[in-house]
C-alpha cells in the first residue's frame, strides 16, 4: 500500500512511475530498469525478509555494474539498517525514505545536476556516522552449542494435549461472509497505511491527527459497507488439521490423518544465544508433544481487490483504488484471525477466548499462529511444505519463486495449540 501511495505522489509531481507490483524477483526489477532506462530504482519492504532481499538487490546491482540510485522505504526498513546493511553493498546512492511525503524531495535531489552531489555527500557522511555509532554500541553475543541449547529447551508440560479434533484433514471454504469477518479488523495498521500512525481508537481523539483520522475512518466505513453489500470481494480459506509429533532434533512431523504416515516435516530453528539467566532456548517444536499431538495450518485470501481497484484507477480515482486495497489487506488479516478462532474451536480450546477484539489481538487465547519469515519459523522455503499439505491453489492462492503468496491479500500460518505456545524473538 505504501508503494502505491509513493507512486501516486511521484506521478502527481511529474515523475513517470513504472510499478512492477509486489513480490517481484530481483532479476525482473533489474531487467525492467534497463529496459525502461530509468533514473531511480525504488524498493518497498513490508515484512522482515524484504530486508535481506534489498541487500541482495544492492549486491546484484554492484555486480552487474549499475550506477542508478536506490530509494527504499517500508514498514520494516530504517535509516540505521540502510546505513549498516545495504549502503555498504553498493557504490551508488542508497537513500532511506521515511514516508511517502518525503519521496518527491528525495527523487528531485537525486536527479538534480545542481543538488545531487551535495545531497549524496551529506547522506554518505550521515550513514558513516550511523555505522560508527552502531559499531560502538555493538556487543558480542555469546552463543551456545546446539547440544547445549537443546539441553536448555523449554520445560513446559506436554503430557496433557487436547483430544483429537472431530474432523481431521483439509477443508476448503469459499464465499465466507465478509460481514462475519468485519468485526475482526484491527484498525491500527489501517491508519499506518495512510501514514497516520497511532493506535485505534485513541488516534480518533489525537489532538493533531484526530480530525483527519476520523474523516479517514468514516470514509473507510462507507467503502466497507459498499464492499460487503455489493460483494465486491470474496473471502476464501483452506484449512488443515493433522496428527503430528515433535522429535528430539527440533522437527515436527506431520502425519496422514488415516494411516499415520509422514506427509510433511518442518525443521524449526532453536535459539542458541546464551541468555545469561534461567530463560530457556526456545524452538517452536517445544510446543508440540513427542507423541499423539496435532498441528493446524491454513491459507486465507481476499480475492478481487486488484480488479476492483483497477476500475477506480481507470477513472483516475487513485484515492479510492488505494482505499479498496487497504481495506482488502485489513480483511485478509481479519480473515486469518477469524479462522484461527474457528480452528481453536475445532481443537476444543476456544472456550476461554476473550470476549473482545482487543483481547484477541493481544493473543489472549490458548495457542499461537506462526507466520513464515519471523523468528519462530524464519525459513520462507518451509511455506512450500504448507502449500503441498493444503493445496491452496484451490482457492486461487499461488506461491512465487520468492516464496511469497499471491494474491497480495493472502496469508498463511501454522497453529500450535499448547497453552504456553507464544511468539519469541530470534
Amino acid at each position: 500500500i505504501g508503494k502505491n501511495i509513493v507512486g501516486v505522489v511521484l506521478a502527481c509531481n511529474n515523475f513517470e512511475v513504472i510499478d512492477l507490483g509486489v513480490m517481484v524477483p530481483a532479476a525482473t526489477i533489474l531487467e525492467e530498469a534497463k529496459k525502461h532506462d530509468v533514473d531511480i530504482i525504488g524498493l518497498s519492504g513490508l515484512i522482515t525478509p524484504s530486508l535481506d532481499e534489498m541487500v541482495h538487490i544492492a549486491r546484484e546491482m554492484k555486480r552487474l555494474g549499475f550506477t542508478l540510485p536506490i530509494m527504499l522505504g517500508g514498514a520494516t526498513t530504517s535509516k540505521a539498517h540502510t546505513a549498516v546493511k545495504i549502503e555498504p553493498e553498493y557504490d551508488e546512492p542508497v537513500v532511506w525514505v521515511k514516508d511517502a511525503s518525503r519521496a518527491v524531495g528525495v527523487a528531485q535531489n537525486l536527479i538534480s545536476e545542481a543538488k545531487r552531489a551535495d545531497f549524496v555527500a551529506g547522506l554518505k557522511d550521515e550513514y558513516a556516522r550511523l555505522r560508527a555509532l552502531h559499531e560502538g554500541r555493538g556487543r558480542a553475543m555469546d552463543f551456545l552449542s546446539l547440544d547445549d541449547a537443546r539441553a536448555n529447551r523449554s520445560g513446559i508440560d506436554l503430557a496433557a494435549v487436547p483430544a483429537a479434533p472431530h474432523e481431521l484433514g483439509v477443508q476448503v471454504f469459499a464465499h465466507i461472509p465478509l460481514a462475519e469477518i468485519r468485526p475482526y479488523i484491527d484498525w491500527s495498521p489501517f491508519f499506518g497505511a495512510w501514514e497516520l500512525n497511532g493506535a485505534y481508537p485513541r488516534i480518533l481523539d489525537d489532538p493533531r491527527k484526530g480530525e483527519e483520522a476520523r474523516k479517514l475512518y468514516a470514509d473507510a466505513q462507507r467503502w466497507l459497507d459498499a464492499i460487503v453489500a455489493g460483494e465486491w470481494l470474496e473471502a476464501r480459506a483452506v484449512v488443515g488439521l493433522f496428527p503430528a509429533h515433535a522429535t528430539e532434533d527440533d522437527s515436527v512431523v506431520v502425519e496422514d490423518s488415516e494411516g499415520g504416515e509422514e506427509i510433511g516435516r518442518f525443521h524449526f530453528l532453536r535459539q542458541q544465544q546464551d541468555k545469561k539467566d534461567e530463560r530457556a532456548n526456545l524452538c517452536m517444536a517445544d510446543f508440540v508433544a513427542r507423541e499423539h499431538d496435532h498441528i493446524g495450518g491454513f491459507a486465507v485470501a481476499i480475492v478481487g481487490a486488484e480488479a476492483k481497484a483497477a476500475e477506480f484507477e481507470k477513472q483516475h480515482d487513485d484515492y479510492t483504488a488505494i482505499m479498496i486495497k487497504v481495506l482488502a489487506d485489513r480483511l485478509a488479516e481479519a480473515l486469518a484471525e477469524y479462522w484461527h478462532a474457528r480452528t481453536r474451536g475445532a481443537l476444543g480450546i476456544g472456550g476461554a477466548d476473550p470476549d473482545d477484539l482487543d483481547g484477541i489481538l493481544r493473543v489472549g487465547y490458548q495457542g499461537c499462529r506462526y507466520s513464515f519469515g519471523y523468528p519462530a519459523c524464519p525459513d520462507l522455503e518451509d511455506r512450500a511444505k504448507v502449500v503441498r499439505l493444503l493445496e491452496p491453489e484451490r482457492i486461487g492462492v499461488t506461491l512465487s519463486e520468492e516464496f511469497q503468496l499471491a494474491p497480495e491479500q493472502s496469508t498463511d500460518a501454522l497453529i500450535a495449540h499448547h497453552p504456553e505456545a507464544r511468539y519469541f524473538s530470534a
Side-chain angles (χ1 to χ4, degrees), residues 64-397:
L64 297 171
F66 275 77
T67 58
L68 298 173
I70 298 171
M71 288 172 56
L72 63 90
T76 55
T77 64
S78 69
K79 185 183 292 186
H81 181 271
T82 303
V84 174
K85 296 292 186 180
I86 305 176
E87 201 254 2
E89 301 293 339
Y90 187 50
D91 297 330
E92 302 301 324
V94 180
V95 189
W96 177 70
V97 186
K98 184 176 181 180
D99 54 52
S101 66
R102 307 180 193 217
V104 173
V106 170
Q108 288 173 337
N109 278 317
L110 288 174
I111 65 170
S112 169
E113 293 183 5
K115 297 180 180 180
R116 172 168 165 152
D118 288 343
F119 176 70
V120 171
L123 276 176
K124 285 192 172 293
D125 287 345
E126 184 178 8
Y127 287 168
R129 287 196 299 272
L130 284 172
R131 283 194 294 275
L133 185 63
H134 179 269
E135 291 171 3
R137 289 178 175 175
R139 177 178 64 85
M141 184 176 291
D142 295 327
F143 288 90
L144 303 175
S145 70
L146 183 56
D147 286 341
D148 286 343
R150 284 175 175 161
N152 191 42
R153 70 173 64 232
S154 173
I156 63 176
D157 180 16
L158 291 166
V161 298
H166 294 302
E167 193 162 1
L168 293 170
V170 179
Q171 300 180 71
V172 177
F173 300 87
H175 302 290
I176 303 165
L178 293 176
E180 292 186 16
I181 301 164
R182 184 172 181 171
Y184 286 84
I185 292 177
D186 179 3
W187 286 102
S188 294
F190 167 82
F191 292 101
W194 295 98
E195 298 184 0
L196 280 174
N197 295 311
Y200 173 84
R202 290 196 305 273
I203 191 172
L204 301 179
D205 297 316
D206 185 277
R208 291 190 302 109
K209 306 174 185 176
E211 183 177 357
E212 288 303 316
R214 290 190 295 273
K215 289 179 183 177
L216 189 62
Y217 184 69
D219 250 5
Q221 298 308 311
R222 180 167 60 87
W223 284 113
L224 197 50
D225 288 341
I227 289 170
V228 173
E231 298 182 344
W232 291 356
L233 309 177
E234 183 183 346
R236 302 174 184 173
V238 56
V239 185
L241 290 171
F242 305 95
H245 67 272
T247 69
E248 288 282 351
D249 64 354
D250 305 329
S251 297
V252 171
V253 176
V254 182
E255 302 164 359
D256 179 81
S257 56
E258 296 178 359
E261 296 183 3
E262 180 177 327
I263 57 174
R265 183 181 291 250
F266 294 89
H267 303 282
F268 296 112
L269 294 182
R270 180 171 296 281
Q271 298 172 315
Q272 284 185 252
Q273 64 266 43
D274 186 349
K275 300 185 180 182
K276 311 294 185 184
D277 54 31
E278 299 301 316
R279 290 175 297 162
N281 291 86
L282 296 174
C283 174
M284 186 177 157
D286 293 346
F287 309 126
V288 180
R290 299 292 176 84
E291 296 180 352
H292 311 305
D293 207 341
H294 296 85
I295 195 168
F298 65 72
V300 299
I302 298 294
V303 179
E306 292 296 328
K308 196 65 185 179
E311 294 179 14
F312 290 98
E313 288 168 353
K314 288 179 181 178
Q315 301 169 31
H316 305 289
D317 186 352
D318 291 314
Y319 169 74
T320 302
I322 292 173
M323 177 65 80
I324 297 299
K325 291 180 181 180
V326 174
L327 290 175
D329 280 353
R330 291 295 86 222
L331 284 169
E333 290 298 324
L335 178 56
E337 201 69 74
Y338 167 85
W339 213 267
H340 189 190
R342 290 273 301 263
T343 304
R344 291 193 297 275
L347 287 165
I349 58 173
D353 278 8
D355 294 328
D356 62 309
L357 179 61
D358 185 60
I360 290 175
L361 295 177
R362 292 176 182 275
V363 197
Y365 44 74
Q366 179 175 331
C368 213
R369 61 183 170 99
Y370 299 91
S371 296
F372 296 98
Y374 294 93
C377 42
D379 192 349
L380 279 179
E381 294 185 18
D382 274 348
R383 181 170 267 162
K385 299 176 184 178
V386 176
V387 167
R388 286 195 292 273
L389 289 172
L390 300 180
E391 299 179 350
E393 60 269 17
R394 290 179 288 178
I395 60 168
V397 173

Side-chain angles (χ1 to χ4, degrees), residues 4-45:
N4 294 337
I5 294 173
V6 169
V8 170
V9 171
L10 287 170
C12 289
N13 284 270
N14 298 318
F15 285 89
E16 180 186 356
V17 179
I18 299 160
D19 188 342
L20 300 181
V22 298
M23 301 175 291
V24 184
T28 302
I29 294 171
L30 302 186
E31 287 167 6
E32 291 295 310
K34 284 185 176 180
K35 174 182 173 182
H36 295 284
D37 191 24
V38 303
D39 297 298
I40 302 169
I41 289 178
L43 305 174
S44 179

